[in-house]
Amino acid sequence: MQNEAVARLLENIAAALQLKAENIFRIRAYEEAARNIRFLKEDIAENWRQGRLTEVPGIGTSIAQKIGEFLQTGKSAYLQELCDGYPVAFLELLKIPGIGPRRAKLLYDHFHVTKLDDLADLARRQQIRQIRGMGPKTEEQLSRELARLGQRTQRLPLGIAWPLAERIASLLRNSPAVGQAEPAGSIRRRLETIGDIDILVASDRFAEIRKLIADLPLTKEILASGSTKITFLTAEDFQVDIRIVPQESWGAALQYFTGSKEHNVALRELAVQKGYKLSEYGIFEVESGRKVGGRTEAEVYELLGLTPIPPELREKRGEIAAAAAGSLPRLITLADVKGDFHVHSNYSDGNSSIAAMVESAIAHGYQYLAITDHSIGLGIARGINQEKAWRQWEEIRRLNKQYAPFRILSGVELEVRATGELDLSEELLAGFDFICASVHSGTRSDAERITKRMGSALRQHWVHVLNHPGGRLLNQRPPYEYHLDQLLQTAKETGKALEINGSYLRMDLDDSSARKAKEQGVLLSLGSDAHSVAGLDAMQLAVAIARRAWLEPADVLNTLPLAELLQWLEREKL
DNA sequence: GCCGTTTTCGGCCCGACTGTTTTCAGTCG
C-alpha cells in the first residue's frame, strides 16, 4: 500500500510550489489531492493500474500523471525540477510553526539553512535577526518552537484529551464570568488523536477569565494572551487554547472552532453562493451587511439550507451534500448500545470479578454483557483453558440467576494462530455463548499472510466477531499492512462482524475503515475491551468512531435488544 | 490544478495575530 507515500509526494510538491510563490489554488489542489488519498481505503496503485485515478476526488489528468510516474519509477521529475537549487530536505523547514514559504526561502538564501539543527545554531548566535523583516522577537519565537519540536509529545489520544477538556470546561463554567464553555475543535469531532485542546467560552469579561486560568491548579504556564484567545500549558505539557466570544456569536463561533477546516471552507463557499457571508461572528447578508444568524449552530446550518450536521461528520466527506438532500444518517448513540461484547475479568488479565463487571454493565444501562477473557494461547494473560472455562461457565450460570433479567454471555477472546487456527478445541468452543477472535502476534508479517490469517478466523464456524482488525496501538505501533477489501469481502460472505474497539490506544477499526465496512454491508460490533470496572466507559470511544463512520443503529450488532441478539446467536449456531 | 442544478472558463473562505512596520506582509487555523 503506497497511499501514504503518494500523499507525501503530493504534499512535498505543494510545499515546493509554495516556495516558488505559485498560484495558491494550484497549491491547494495538490494538498486536497493528498488529503483525499489519505482518506482512500483502496490501494492507490490498484486504482492507477485500472486507469481509474481521476475518479478519486481532487485528482485530474495532471496530478494523475505525476502519481503514475511516481508509482512506476519511485521518483518525480516534477518535484526534482521544482526543488532545483534547493535540497528536498529543505522542505522540512516549513514544518516549524512560524515558518512559511517566504521565511524558509529567506533563511535558505541567506544562510543555506537546510536542517533544523542549522537553524537552532543560527538562532543561538543571534544571526537570524540580521535578516531584514525578521527581528529579535521572531528569532526568540523560532528558538522556542525548535526546542518544543525536539521534545514535542505525540498527538494525544482522544481518550486522554476528551476527559481533560471536559474537566477544564467544567472548571470554567463554575465561574460567574462564563456564560457557556465547551470543548471544540477535533475533540468535539471526536477525532482519534488531538493536537491542541480547544475550548470555546462565551463571556465579555476577559480579565476575569485570564485570572481564572492563571489560578487553575493544572495550569503550568501561560504562553500567549491576546484579546480573544488565551493559550496555556498544563502540568503534563498539553497545550490548551481558550477562545472567548460574545454570547450572541456563540453558535457561529462554535461552528467555526469545531471545524474541520475543510468543512468550514466548503460551508463558506456555500454561504457565498446563497448571498451570505459566514464567519465566526455570525452569518451576514452580503447586500445589506445585516447579521441574520449565529446565536446557535443549528441556525447557521439551516440558513444555508442544510440539516444541522453532527460534529463527528464535519470532515468534508460527503456530509454537506447529504445535509442538503436531507439524507444524513441517524447516527448511533451510546443509548442505542444494549451491551458490551468485549470485556475481561480476573479469569484472565482483567482486575475485577465477573460480578463487579456485571454490576457496572447494569449501571451503564445495558441488557447483556459478554465476558470475553483471553484464551490460553496468549501466554502473558493467564488465559482460559478447559478447566477454567468450566469453572467460569458455572459462575456465570449462578450469576445469571442472581441478576436476571440481565444476561451474562459466556465468551472468550480467542487467539488466532499464525496458521489461522484457533487455540481451543471445537468441543469446548461449542459450549460458549459468544466468541471473538484476535490476532496479537506476528503483527509485522506481510499483507497477504495477515489478511489470510484474519480471514480464516472469520471462516471458523464458532467465531462471531473479529476483534481490532487493524492491529494498531496509537503512538506505539502502526496498523497491520492488510487488505481491507479482502477482509470485508470475507466478513460479508460469512455474515460475521468486525469489531470497533474503544480502548483509547486502539480505536480500531478506525473511522474510515468502519465506514467502508458499512458501505459494503458488513456488520460491526462495539467493544470496550475493559480490563476493569472503569474500563467499560471506553464504549464512548467506540461509539465516537462509529459515529465518525456514519454508522446507524442497524449497522451494529450490539444495538439489538437481548431477545433479538439471542435469536441471532441461535441462528449462527446452525 | 480542479471542477460544474447558474459556469468547460472563471471561479476557488474569512479573519486574527504578530512583528516590524510607517501602512503591511507573513503565518495560522
Side-chain angles (χ1 to χ4, degrees):
Chain A
M1 194 87 153
Q2 299 192 68
N3 294 20
E4 181 57 31
V6 172
R8 276 213 200 108
L9 168 78
L10 298 181
E11 277 170 359
N12 280 341
I13 292 178
L17 287 169
Q18 281 187 51
L19 297 174
K20 301 260 166 183
E22 258 285 357
N23 180 323
I24 181 71
F25 299 111
R26 174 177 295 176
I27 295 167
R28 252 172 61 175
Y30 277 96
E31 286 172 345
E32 174 80 0
R35 199 181 76 87
N36 286 329
I37 288 172
R38 283 235 165 70
F39 277 138
L40 199 68
K41 281 292 151 181
E42 295 133 50
D43 191 350
I44 190 85
E46 191 54 39
N47 269 7
W48 167 65
R49 274 190 288 276
Q50 297 171 3
R52 291 172 36 230
L53 274 181
T54 53
E55 287 174 25
V56 179
I59 299 184
T61 50
S62 175
I63 291 183
Q65 182 265 322
K66 273 141 200 148
I67 294 175
E69 183 201 349
F70 178 75
L71 287 173
Q72 213 158 15
T73 67
K75 283 186 291 204
S76 166
Y78 183 58
L79 178 62
Q80 293 302 323
E81 182 194 320
L82 284 176
C83 290
D84 186 31
Y86 297 95
V88 181
F90 158 75
L91 301 174
E92 286 289 304
L93 292 181
L94 292 173
K95 291 187 185 146
I96 303 167
I99 295 194
R102 173 105 185 119
R103 283 178 179 165
K105 199 160 178 318
L106 275 175
L107 288 166
Y108 184 82
D109 291 344
H110 273 81
F111 299 115
H112 285 278
V113 176
T114 58
K115 297 203 310 288
L116 302 189
D117 286 351
D118 297 349
L119 194 62
D121 195 46
L122 283 168
R124 210 171 307 120
R125 303 205 322 266
Q126 304 199 335
Q127 296 292 301
I128 291 175
R129 62 182 67 178
Q130 309 299 331
I131 301 177
R132 191 180 154 72
M134 300 177 77
K137 286 280 183 68
T138 308
E139 190 175 78
E140 281 167 30
Q141 185 210 337
L142 286 182
S143 278
R144 259 204 318 275
E145 287 297 347
L146 282 165
R148 278 196 70 202
L149 211 60
Q151 51 156 13
R152 172 129 85 190
T153 49
Q154 295 135 318
R155 288 176 63 85
L156 271 181
L158 178 65
I160 305 287
W162 184 6
L164 177 59
E166 291 290 354
R167 201 166 112 230
I168 296 170
S170 128
L171 287 168
L172 288 165
R173 272 183 226 117
N174 285 341
S175 160
V178 171
Q180 292 181 77
E182 289 292 339
S186 42
I187 291 180
R188 186 153 179 261
R189 302 200 314 279
R190 310 284 186 249
L191 200 64
E192 60 198 20
T193 61
I194 308 298
D196 299 330
I197 294 173
D198 284 313
I199 296 176
L200 186 68
V201 172
S203 172
D204 48 13
R205 289 149 72 178
F206 183 82
E208 283 173 63
I209 293 177
R210 191 179 190 288
K211 175 154 188 344
L212 181 70
I213 289 170
D215 293 345
L216 287 182
L218 53 75
T219 301
K220 177 172 156 191
E221 183 190 355
I222 295 194
L223 294 177
S225 172
S227 60
T228 65
K229 179 178 162 180
I230 301 170
T231 300
F232 69 94
L233 282 184
T234 68
E236 309 92 335
D237 278 333
F238 302 148
Q239 185 174 320
V240 183
D241 289 340
I242 308 281
R243 316 270 186 163
I244 299 144
V245 298
Q247 185 68 54
E248 62 269 20
S249 300
W250 173 259
L254 186 60
Q255 196 289 313
Y256 174 72
F257 288 118
T258 296
S260 64
K261 188 181 172 190
E262 290 80 8
H263 173 88
N264 285 355
V265 168
L267 225 53
R268 285 168 182 213
E269 285 172 1
L270 185 62
V272 171
Q273 281 174 33
K274 300 205 179 257
Y276 294 122
K277 185 190 67 160
L278 176 60
S279 77
E280 56 265 52
Y281 297 106
I283 181 160
F284 304 83
E285 256 176 17
V286 170
E287 227 164 84
S288 60
R290 196 169 59 91
K291 182 167 172 176
V292 292
R295 268 199 97 78
T296 67
E297 263 194 330
E299 199 174 67
V300 172
Y301 284 98
E302 278 155 11
L303 278 165
L304 297 176
L306 303 173
T307 323
I309 300 175
E312 295 92 335
L313 300 188
R314 300 180 193 171
E315 300 290 348
K316 204 189 171 203
R317 288 144 102 172
E319 73 279 8
I320 293 174
S327 61
L328 283 172
R330 200 296 254 165
L331 294 182
I332 185 172
T333 67
L334 198 52
D336 293 316
V337 179
K338 299 295 191 286
D340 196 330
F341 278 158
H342 190 165
V343 313
H344 299 267
S345 75
N346 52 14
Y347 275 81
S348 67
D349 61 345
N351 59 22
S352 303
S353 67
I354 296 178
M357 297 302 276
V358 170
E359 302 248 348
S360 178
I362 291 171
H364 279 75
Y366 295 152
Q367 300 176 6
Y368 48 88
L369 176 71
I371 302 290
T372 55
D373 278 305
H374 291 286
S375 61
I376 190 75
L378 193 63
I380 54 163
R382 311 183 315 276
I384 297 278
N385 54 20
Q386 176 162 310
E387 178 272 327
K388 264 181 146 175
W390 287 346
R391 205 148 46 82
Q392 198 185 49
W393 295 348
E394 187 49 42
E395 179 170 354
I396 287 174
R397 251 194 299 278
R398 191 164 49 75
L399 291 172
N400 264 330
K401 282 191 196 134
Q402 186 181 339
Y403 289 105
F406 187 87
R407 177 65 187 269
I408 311 160
L409 302 170
S410 65
V412 66
E413 179 179 7
L414 283 176
E415 285 306 296
V416 182
R417 290 178 177 159
T419 55
E421 292 167 311
L422 306 175
D423 67 336
L424 292 178
S425 70
E426 288 272 326
E427 299 75 37
L428 195 59
L429 291 179
F432 287 99
D433 297 321
F434 183 88
I435 293 178
C436 47
S438 304
V439 171
H440 287 115
S441 58
T443 56
R444 276 186 292 193
S445 63
D446 64 77
E448 312 301 329
R449 271 177 65 189
I450 207 147
T451 307
K452 199 162 158 234
R453 184 172 170 188
M454 292 196 285
S456 61
L458 281 174
R459 290 186 194 284
Q460 302 277 346
H461 179 67
W462 301 108
V463 170
H464 296 111
V465 174
L466 178 69
N467 284 342
H468 44 74
R472 71 169 172 190
L473 292 175
L474 287 174
N475 292 343
Q476 291 174 28
R477 187 174 77 202
Y480 310 138
E481 290 273 341
Y482 73 110
H483 299 306
L484 178 64
D485 278 321
Q486 270 180 42
L487 189 71
L488 293 181
Q489 186 60 36
T490 310
K492 182 148 191 222
E493 280 167 23
T494 56
K496 307 294 176 65
L498 299 182
E499 182 193 46
I500 295 176
N501 184 300
S503 161
Y504 79 100
L505 283 177
R506 289 195 180 274
M507 309 275 290
D508 177 12
L509 292 173
D510 66 87
D511 52 16
S512 46
S513 300
R515 184 171 177 191
K516 186 138 193 220
K518 175 202 166 106
E519 285 167 0
Q520 313 264 325
V522 171
L523 193 57
L524 284 308
S525 99
L526 306 185
S528 67
D529 206 351
H531 285 71
S532 67
V533 167
L536 284 162
D537 289 342
M539 184 60 78
Q540 285 189 62
L541 297 178
V543 169
I545 300 170
R547 288 172 63 84
R548 287 181 56 84
W550 293 54
L551 299 194
E552 302 182 90
D555 301 315
V556 175
L557 184 58
N558 38 338
T559 60
L560 290 181
L562 176 60
E564 288 175 45
L565 174 72
L566 293 176
Q567 285 171 13
W568 187 86
L569 290 170
E570 206 50 48
R571 278 200 305 277
E572 288 293 306
K573 278 194 171 175
L574 300 176

